[in-house]
């Protein structure tokens, strides 16, 4: 008698636990899906390979051991343009401290990106994501979006919107290899 | 809580109302009733019995049909509230602020309230999903709590039931007949021919058919649970994809979520019915509305990147296949379907200009600018050339003297150019817009004259993948089987017994369709000369007849 009572208790607890976990998991993944379908802080940053305007290939996995400041932008996007000079300043401060800056343009023409680069006098590498595959794998919604990738290749932070020079400096400091 | 030992010797679980074996009422309350409640064979629904730990309390809550019905009602009401205004999904805005503004603009205060309460995204809200999840738990627990005891008591039931059980059945009769034994024998033969499963135990007979109809509700719940499980799987990555993409003619883009597939649009085709070809069918309609679409089609080529290639990779794409995507005729590959959903006609693709002398209109040559890839320099004849200094795809005006472009789409292209001619080897600067030219650095002798334009169409495509569909279909099928099982078959039982004193008792029970079982009994009775019987419930309350379970 006592044994069957115990058994009943365990069976019921097990069934309820399994069902509750299943439902909580479903709700959790549905609610978080809204915000960011694929990538979250702590995830491994998807690898990609792009050729910049100078013809140099940048493969994310080659920067293992360095921090990567990954900025997605477009020439038509005002806040993107506003933060570019600040990014360039900080790029020059941190490039010798193991923080790589890479700006990825969303599928615009070479001419346009070049003229933009020249008019702002930008020195960090800029690559164009022509078939938008990098943009898709990083699930970029608003521009600008910046990913901080730490030396382990994991996403440290996702910044949506414009950054001040102070922000940028602090972010680069954050992913500097120790 | 102890087990109940019946007079007949059977040990019943605590809470049992009718002995599983002989059918004797096991408590005073049941005994006092004229008819017994046969819904779960008087078995002990364990939820009703044990109520000690918190787990038991939770279990009992979900086991209650009343709770289940309330959950259904609440979900029904909530789901219908979600249909009052369009859901966020259908609102032409993407950012939170725009969405809020949209609801306020279109629907006023009610719209704002609706948005603030989260009703605008009701079906993906945590509380709505929690409700559906609770209904799922209720389905599972309520079914388990009923089907197991029911199965046990139907399995344990004896052919010989106690008189106290028989006399409390809805259909019941007792009487002295001439040759009891003989009558029961005849009844047995007849019932067998009527496809009853007949068992004998001494002077007792039990004829039963369609017991499997009793499992109908549980089979049907199993289907529902499977269905909910399928819907749940959609939350897992890889099971469900619903994406959109815009693809221009000549463009080759990555297909979202597909892991290495690329799609190139060769051509978009939009056809309408001409009056001649369809006078009979669409003649009137064409007169009324102007045009009727005949075909939306995107001719595409599918490419796949090399195994293990990373994003951004442009080379070594292997050609997979060509296809014509039409409405309802998707391109299929690797569990994905690409559907024709939308289109935009005539987006600017390229513009052709002529370098001219403004006065004489003398031409120095023509050049064509591909708007998705303008070149820095266009060489013309006799050493003339045009240099493109900058390009503004969607020109909106100047801000502090700087030309602005509001998007990368060529809605209103403008160019800052430098024109080199033998006469002006250092170049003349001009700002070329559609239908207008500015000369920011002073009067020019030459101009860029617009000649012609080429356009291209844009296809709006939807990418779908749904690995849960087979599960949903199976769930639906099992659900329907359960419904049919419970509706089209009845569980009928007829008991005939000769008592010690020689009287013959006849009693019957069915879970539905009492008229049919009476007809069955009439047939048997006529042949076997059984005592008269009647529907006791009918007698009792003519008013609320057909209260059947």
């Amino acid at each position: 008698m006592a044994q069957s009572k115990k058994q009943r208790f365990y069976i019921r607890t097990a069934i309820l636990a399994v069902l509750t976990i299943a439902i909580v998991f479903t709700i959790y993944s549905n609610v978080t899906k809204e915000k960011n379908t694929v990538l979250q802080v702590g995830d491994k940053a998807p690898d990609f390979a792009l050729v910049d305007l100078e013809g140099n290939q940048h493969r994310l996995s080659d920067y293992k051991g360095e921090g990567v400041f990954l900025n997605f932008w477009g020439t038509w996007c005002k806040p993107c343009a506003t933060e570019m000079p600040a990014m360039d300043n900080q790029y020059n401060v941190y490039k010798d401290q193991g923080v790589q800056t890479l700006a990825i343009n969303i599928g615009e023409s070479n001419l346009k990106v070049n003229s933009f680069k020249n008019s702002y006098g930008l020195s960090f590498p800029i690559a164009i994501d022509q078939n938008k595959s990098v943009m898709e794998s990083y699930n970029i919604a608003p521009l600008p979006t910046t990913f901080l990738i730490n030396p382990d290749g994991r996403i440290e932070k996702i910044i949506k919107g414009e950054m001040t020079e102070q922000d940028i400096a602090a972010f680069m400091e954050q992913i500097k290899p120790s | 809580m102890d087990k109940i030992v019946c007079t007949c010797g059977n040990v019943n679980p605590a809470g049992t109302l009718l002995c599983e074996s002989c059918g004797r009422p096991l408590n005073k309350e049941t005994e006092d009733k004229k008819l017994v409640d046969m819904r779960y064979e008087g078995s002990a629904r364990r939820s009703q019995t044990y109520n000690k730990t918190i787990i038991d309390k939770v279990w009992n809550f979900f086991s209650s049909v009343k709770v289940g019905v309330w959950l259904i009602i609440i979900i029904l009401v909530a789901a219908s509230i979600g249909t009052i205004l369009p859901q966020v999904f259908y609102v032409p805005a993407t950012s939170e602020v725009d969405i809020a503004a949209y609801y306020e603009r279109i629907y006023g205060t009610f719209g704002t309230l609706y948005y603030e309460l989260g009703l605008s995204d009701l079906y993906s809200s945590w509380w709505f999903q929690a409700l559906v999840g609770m209904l799922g738990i209720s389905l599972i627990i309520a079914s388990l709590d009923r089907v197991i005891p029911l199965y046990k008591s139907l399995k344990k039931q004896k052919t010989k039931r106690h008189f106290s059980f028989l006399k409390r059945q809805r259909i019941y009769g007792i009487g002295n007949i001439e040759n009891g034994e003989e009558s029961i024998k005849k009844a047995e033969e007849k019932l067998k021919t009527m496809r009853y499963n007949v068992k004998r135990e001494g002077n007792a007979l039990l004829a039963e058919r369609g017991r499997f109809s009793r499992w109908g509700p549980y089979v049907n719940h199993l289907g529902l649970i499977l269905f909910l499980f399928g819907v749940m799987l959609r939350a897992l990555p890889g099971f469900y994809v619903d994406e959109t993409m815009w693809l221009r003619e000549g463009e080759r883009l990555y297909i979202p979520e597909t892991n290495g597939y690329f799609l190139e649009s060769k051509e978009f085709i939009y056809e309408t019915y001409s009056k001649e070809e369809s006078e009979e069918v669409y003649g009137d309609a064409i007169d009324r509305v102007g045009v009727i679409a005949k075909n939306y089609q995107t001719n595409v080529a599918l490419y796949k990147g090399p195994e293990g290639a990373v994003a951004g990779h442009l080379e070594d794409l292997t050609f997979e296949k060509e296809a014509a995507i039409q409405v309802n005729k998707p391109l299929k590959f690797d569990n994905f379907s690409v559907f024709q959903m939308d289109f935009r006609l005539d987006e600017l693709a390229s513009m052709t200009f002529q370098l001219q002398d403004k006065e004489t209109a003398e031409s120095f040559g023509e050049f064509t600018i591909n708007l998705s890839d303008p070149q820095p320099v266009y060489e013309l004849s006799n050493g003339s050339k045009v240099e493109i200094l900058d390009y503004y795809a969607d020109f909106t005006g100047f801000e502090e003297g700087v030309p602005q472009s509001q998007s990368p789409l060529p809605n209103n292209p403008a160019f800052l150019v430098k024109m080199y001619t033998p006469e002006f080897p250092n170049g003349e600067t001009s700002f070329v817009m559609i239908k207008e030219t500015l000369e920011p650095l002073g009067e020019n002798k030459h101009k860029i004259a617009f000649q012609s334009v080429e356009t291209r169409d844009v296809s709006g495509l939807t990418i779908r993948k749904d690995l849960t569909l087979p599960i949903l279909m199976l769930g639906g099928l099992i659900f329907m089987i359960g419904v049919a099982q419970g509706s089209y078959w009845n569980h009928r039982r007829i008991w005939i017994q000769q008592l010690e004193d020689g009287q013959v008792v006849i009693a019957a029970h069915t879970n539905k369709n009492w008229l049919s079982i009476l007809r069955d009994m009439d047939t048997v009775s006529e042949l076997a000369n059984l005592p008269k019987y009647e529907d006791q419930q009918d007698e009792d309350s003519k008013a609320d007849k057909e209260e059947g379970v």
Side-chain angles (χ1 to χ4, degrees), chain A residues 1 5 8 12 16 19 23 25-27 29-30 34 47-49 59 76 78 109 111-112 115 131 133 136, chain B residues 1 50 56 59 121 129 133 140 232 236 254 256 262 310-312 314 372 374 376 390-391 404-406 408:
Chain A
M1 194 66 210
K5 250 185 212 168
R8 186 192 80 233
R12 287 184 173 185
L16 282 172
L19 293 176
I23 288 164
F25 173 78
T26 312
I27 294 173
S29 42
N30 271 328
E34 301 283 292
D47 200 6
F48 62 84
R59 184 164 179 162
W76 71 94
K78 291 235 173 75
S109 60
L111 179 112
K112 183 69 207 173
S115 77
N131 54 20
S133 55
E136 287 295 345
Chain B
M1 282 291 180
Y50 303 108
D56 288 335
W59 186 273
D121 199 11
Q129 294 183 8
I140 293 173
M232 201 184 87
L236 295 179
Y254 177 72
F262 296 81
V310 297
L314 292 169
S372 59
D390 211 337
Y391 163 50
Q404 303 293 320
S405 176
Q406 64 174 1

Side-chain angles (χ1 to χ4, degrees), chain B residues 53 116 177 193 209 384 420 430 448 452 535:
Chain B
T53 61
E116 289 298 328
I177 50 172
T193 65
R209 66 178 287 193
S384 302
Y420 296 89
S430 176
I448 302 282
S452 64
D535 188 334

Side-chain angles (χ1 to χ4, degrees), chain B residues 334-380:
Chain B
D334 207 4
N335 287 322
F336 288 96
S337 303
V338 180
F339 289 91
Q340 176 67 50
M341 286 299 264
D342 205 348
F343 67 98
R344 284 201 301 260
L345 293 178
D346 301 331
E347 189 180 282
L348 292 178
S350 68
M351 296 172 88
T352 302
F353 297 96
Q354 198 174 63
L355 179 58
Q356 280 180 358
D357 187 299
K358 273 180 8 189
E359 300 259 310
T360 64
E362 180 199 349
S363 169
F364 293 83
E366 277 189 6
F367 62 99
T368 300
I369 302 178
N370 176 356
L371 295 176
S372 59
D373 189 20
Q375 297 302 307
V377 176
Y378 293 90
E379 300 280 351
L380 304 174

Side-chain angles (χ1 to χ4, degrees), chain A residues 24-168:
Chain A
V24 168
F25 173 78
T26 312
I27 294 173
Y28 175 78
S29 42
N30 271 328
V31 170
T32 51
K33 193 157 83 171
E34 301 283 292
K35 300 201 176 82
N36 196 333
T37 334
V38 210
L39 293 176
Q40 273 160 13
V41 169
D43 288 351
K44 201 170 164 2
D47 200 6
F48 62 84
L50 289 173
V51 177
D52 71 15
L53 297 177
E54 263 73 56
N56 303 315
Q57 160 125 343
H58 297 269
R59 184 164 179 162
L60 185 66
S61 50
D62 291 343
Y63 294 118
K64 200 135 201 182
E66 292 178 63
V68 178
F69 187 90
L70 190 63
N71 178 263
F72 290 86
W73 68 286
T75 60
W76 71 94
C77 141
K78 291 235 173 75
C80 304
T82 318
E83 66 186 10
M84 284 283 174
M87 258 170 65
D88 201 53
N89 291 341
Q90 295 307 316
Y91 160 70
N92 285 311
V93 174
Y94 281 94
K95 68 177 173 187
D96 299 324
Q97 300 182 42
V99 177
Q100 179 67 37
T101 303
L102 187 58
I104 299 182
N105 175 278
I106 306 300
E108 285 184 275
S109 60
N110 269 311
L111 179 112
K112 183 69 207 173
V113 177
N114 262 313
S115 77
F116 183 93
K117 181 187 171 180
N118 295 334
S119 68
Y120 281 82
L122 303 174
S123 54
F124 52 75
I126 296 174
I128 302 174
D129 182 20
Q130 279 167 9
N131 54 20
K132 298 186 183 171
S133 55
V134 180
M135 173 189 158
E136 287 295 345
S137 61
Y138 276 80
N139 197 43
I140 303 300
L143 289 180
T145 294
T146 305
F147 283 79
L148 300 185
I149 300 166
N150 67 21
D152 299 330
R154 297 197 173 271
I155 295 168
E156 187 89 16
K157 193 174 170 66
I158 303 169
I159 306 116
K160 297 189 172 182
E162 193 184 325
M163 300 169 288
T164 64
E165 181 147 4
Q166 273 173 326
D167 292 338
I168 296 171

Side-chain angles (χ1 to χ4, degrees), chain B residues 394-541:
Chain B
D394 198 352
F395 178 69
T396 50
F398 294 91
E399 259 175 43
E400 293 168 9
V402 182
Q404 303 293 320
S405 176
Q406 64 174 1
S407 82
L409 302 174
N411 294 326
N412 184 24
F415 303 89
L416 182 62
V417 302
K418 224 168 175 183
M419 303 168 287
Y420 296 89
T421 44
E423 202 179 331
F424 293 90
N426 292 330
E428 298 171 288
T429 306
S430 176
F431 191 78
V432 183
M433 297 165 278
I434 289 177
K435 289 186 182 164
E436 202 188 340
T437 305
L438 289 179
E439 297 175 347
L441 304 179
E443 185 91 7
N444 293 338
K445 188 162 189 293
H446 299 93
K447 70 167 179 183
I448 302 282
F450 171 74
Q451 296 297 303
S452 64
V453 66
E454 293 225 347
T455 60
R456 58 178 174 176
D457 303 329
V458 193
S459 306
L461 304 171
T462 290
I463 298 100
R464 284 250 168 80
K465 171 176 154 181
D466 192 353
L467 295 184
T468 68
L469 267 185
I471 299 174
L472 299 187
M473 279 184 210
L474 183 67
L477 180 72
I478 292 177
F479 176 89
M480 284 315 293
I481 291 175
V483 170
Q485 197 176 333
S487 327
Y488 293 107
W489 281 270
N490 329 128
H491 180 214
R492 297 177 191 167
R493 275 176 296 174
I494 300 168
W495 295 271
I496 306 172
Q497 249 177 65
Q498 188 165 31
L499 301 176
E500 306 272 302
D501 60 6
Q503 287 197 101
V504 170
V505 190
I506 179 163
H509 178 262
T510 179
N511 61 339
K512 57 168 65 78
N513 206 347
W514 292 84
L515 202 65
S516 292
I517 197 173
L518 276 171
R519 211 176 290 147
D520 279 1
M521 291 172 77
D522 290 346
T523 317
V524 176
S525 180
E526 206 174 296
L527 194 94
N529 188 27
L530 294 168
K532 275 184 96 68
Y533 45 81
E534 61 195 8
D535 188 334
Q536 301 198 72
Q537 188 171 298
D538 230 18
E539 283 285 291
D540 279 356
S541 47

Side-chain angles (χ1 to χ4, degrees), chain B residues 19-36:
Chain B
C19 172
E20 294 169 324
S21 173
C22 71
R24 274 190 187 88
L26 292 175
N27 61 26
K28 190 78 180 76
E29 207 188 319
T30 318
E31 214 170 313
D32 287 346
K33 283 191 185 147
K34 196 177 167 208
L35 292 177
V36 288

